[in-house]
């Protein structure tokens, strides 16, 4: 039985909530490694706790983003139609995999996320300000899904940003895998959704992060139900996490549209690489505690 | 044409505000409930690895001031929030008669209901 301190859980939640909301990734990439590596909880308990925290984190961020009209509600709901089945598949897989196997998959996925963030950072340097939408549009291709287009006011540049959504079908396919990863590893589909919406669907980064938060609410809900049903949710582990994630997410969503985030992304990449190495190493020294 | 688009855009912004307020209210209630459970746990003590309280016994456990029951109730409220977003959106799109979003919301609600039944069974 792991001996955990309520303040360690609260600190973990605050950190995850803050960075999760600022990066639109839900915060699971911080919660799962800390709960398993620092506190010693079984992987499935860490994932279940993380998923509940992601729901509160994402709902808190969404409540802020949606009031500022940054969330593309229609697109978010469309992508959720493939995320939900993906989340069910991921939850079933996780329930049948041993902790060390999950740790290795988690570590590998985090290395992938770190990799996807590097070219994104380089691409940002060529953009005018805060990832604004592209100017060139293929009207005929676009007409069928014009109802997904969005606009919002960007306070950082004090401008109305109007954008078009490209390749929604690709987004839906990627969304399925985002759902699988979310439930399998408790990290939220944001690690898949954010690069796809920003890179493939050509959405402005702020609308991407806001819409990703909405998606995380729905995906993590499905995953949470599976873990709760399998007995992996413990109220006294989840409660301090949830309360502190709420505080962190409110702060994070407030800071998100005031920051450029380059330094944040660099720190995040270093964190991902270090924790992935730790998770994989731990898996090879664990005899299996599923 | 533009007037119709502008009208839809304004209505969508009104929906955004409503959903934002709904989420904030639900969040505050759930956080207060969970916090109450956490404080009671610190006062009363108990096993840190206790399980969730079953829904069938939730009201009676809350009446007995069981900390785990309070936390469970707060968690249920949290899990209902994403569903509330979809239902509010569905109601809005029905009112504004936007066909595509109505279809998407319907599919999503059916999927969530089906997945809940699948998980429980």
């Amino acid at each position: 039985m792991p001996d955990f301190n309520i303040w360690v859980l609260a600190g973990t939640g605050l950190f995850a909530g803050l960075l999760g909301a600022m990066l639109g990734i839900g915060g699971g990439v911080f919660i799962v490694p800390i709960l398993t590596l620092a506190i010693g909880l079984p992987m499935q308990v860490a994932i279940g706790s993380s998923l509940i925290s992601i729901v509160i984190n994402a709902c808190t961020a969404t409540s802020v983003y949606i009031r500022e009209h940054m969330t593309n509600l229609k697109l978010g709901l469309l992508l959720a139609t493939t995320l939900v089945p993906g989340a069910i598949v991921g939850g079933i897989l996780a329930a049948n995999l041993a902790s060390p196997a999950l740790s290795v998959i988690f570590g590998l996925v985090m290395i992938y996320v770190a990799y996807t963030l590097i070219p994104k950072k380089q691409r940002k340097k060529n953009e005018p300000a805060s990832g604004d939408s592209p100017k060139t549009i293929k009207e005929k291709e676009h007409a069928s899904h014009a109802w997904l287009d969005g606009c919002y006011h960007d306070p950082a540049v004090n401008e109305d940003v109007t954008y078009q959504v490209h390749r929604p079908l690709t987004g839906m396919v990627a969304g399925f895998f985002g759902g699988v990863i979310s439930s399998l590893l408790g990290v939220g589909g944001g690690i898949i959704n954010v690069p796809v919406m920003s890179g493939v669907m050509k959405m402005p980064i702020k609308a991407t992060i806001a819409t990703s938060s909405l998606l995380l609410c729905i995906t993590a809900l499905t995953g949470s139900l599976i873990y709760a049903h399998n007995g992996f949710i413990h109220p006294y582990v989840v409660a301090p996490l949830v309360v502190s994630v709420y505080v962190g997410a409110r702060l994070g969503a407030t800071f998100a549209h005031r920051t450029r985030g380059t330094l944040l992304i660099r720190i995040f990449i270093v964190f991902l690489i270090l924790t992935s190495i730790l998770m994989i190493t731990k898996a090879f020294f664990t005899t299996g505690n599923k | 044409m533009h007037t119709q688009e502008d009208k839809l855009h304004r209505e969508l912004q009104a929906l955004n505000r409503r959903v934002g307020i709904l989420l904030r209210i639900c969040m505050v209630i759930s956080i207060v409930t969970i916090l109450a459970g956490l404080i009671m746990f610190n006062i009363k003590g108990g096993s840190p690895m206790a399980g969730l309280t079953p829904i069938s016994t939730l009201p009676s456990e809350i009446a007995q001031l069981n900390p785990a029951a309070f936390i469970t109730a707060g968690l249920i409220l949290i899990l209902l929030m994403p569903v509330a977003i979809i239902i509010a959106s569905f109601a809005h799109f029905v009112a504004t008669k936007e066909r595509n979003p109505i279809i998407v919301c319907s599919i999503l609600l059916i999927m969530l209901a089906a997945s809940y039944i699948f998980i429980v069974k």
Side-chain angles (χ1 to χ4, degrees), chain A residues 1 4 55 59-60 66-67 69 73-74 77-78 80-81 88 92 147 151 217 221 226 229 234-236 246 250, chain B residues 9 13 15-16 24 27 41 47-51 67-68 79 82 89 98 100 104-105 108 111 115 118-120:
Chain A
M1 184 74 68
F4 57 84
V55 178
C59 283
T60 308
I66 208 163
R67 269 186 303 137
H69 315 300
L73 196 58
K74 291 174 188 172
L77 294 170
L78 178 72
T81 56
I88 294 171
I92 293 167
W147 60 282
C151 72
C217 296
L221 158 74
I226 296 172
H229 183 68
H234 299 287
Y236 303 125
Y246 171 73
R250 284 209 64 82
Chain B
H9 180 66
Q13 288 195 330
L15 170 69
N16 286 343
R24 289 185 89 176
M27 212 110 57
F41 171 68
S47 166
M49 298 301 278
L79 294 179
S89 305
E98 291 179 80
N100 288 335
V104 168
C105 285
L108 201 49
M111 264 184 186
S115 61
F118 173 75
I119 291 162
V120 171

Side-chain angles (χ1 to χ4, degrees), chain A residues 150-289:
Chain A
C151 72
Y152 65 93
H153 181 78
D154 189 343
V157 288
N158 197 25
E159 266 180 21
D160 286 332
V161 178
T162 305
Y163 63 91
Q164 298 193 325
V165 175
H166 297 250
R167 299 181 191 160
L169 280 178
T170 312
M172 288 174 77
V173 174
F176 177 82
F177 292 103
V180 174
I181 294 291
S182 170
S183 279
L184 184 63
L185 306 175
V187 294
I191 57 169
I192 303 282
N193 300 333
V194 171
V196 169
M197 281 195 278
S198 168
V200 180
M201 302 174 81
K202 310 285 183 199
M203 285 174 66
I205 192 69
K206 290 186 179 180
T208 296
I209 289 173
T211 309
S212 172
S213 290
L214 172 68
L215 288 173
L216 294 181
C217 296
I218 300 167
T219 322
L221 158 74
T222 313
S224 300
L225 287 174
I226 296 172
Y227 281 84
H229 183 68
N230 289 329
F232 294 128
I233 308 277
H234 299 287
Y236 303 125
V237 175
V238 172
L241 269 178
V242 162
V243 174
S244 54
V245 159
Y246 171 73
V247 176
R250 284 209 64 82
L251 292 173
T254 309
F255 291 147
H257 49 83
R258 293 182 197 163
T259 51
R260 284 195 173 272
T262 317
L263 177 68
L264 198 68
I265 288 173
R266 282 185 190 151
I267 296 167
F268 183 47
I269 290 169
V270 173
F271 175 87
L272 286 176
I273 292 168
L274 287 177
T275 43
S276 60
I277 292 166
L278 281 172
M279 294 291 281
I280 294 169
T281 312
K282 188 199 166 211
F284 285 108
F285 287 102
T286 308
T287 50
N289 57 345

Side-chain angles (χ1 to χ4, degrees), chain A residues 120-135:
Chain A
K120 191 176 166 186
K121 183 188 70 180
Q122 286 168 344
R123 197 165 57 239
K124 267 188 170 179
K125 284 181 183 169
N126 301 324
E127 288 178 359
S130 66
D132 285 349
S133 56
K135 303 284 182 209

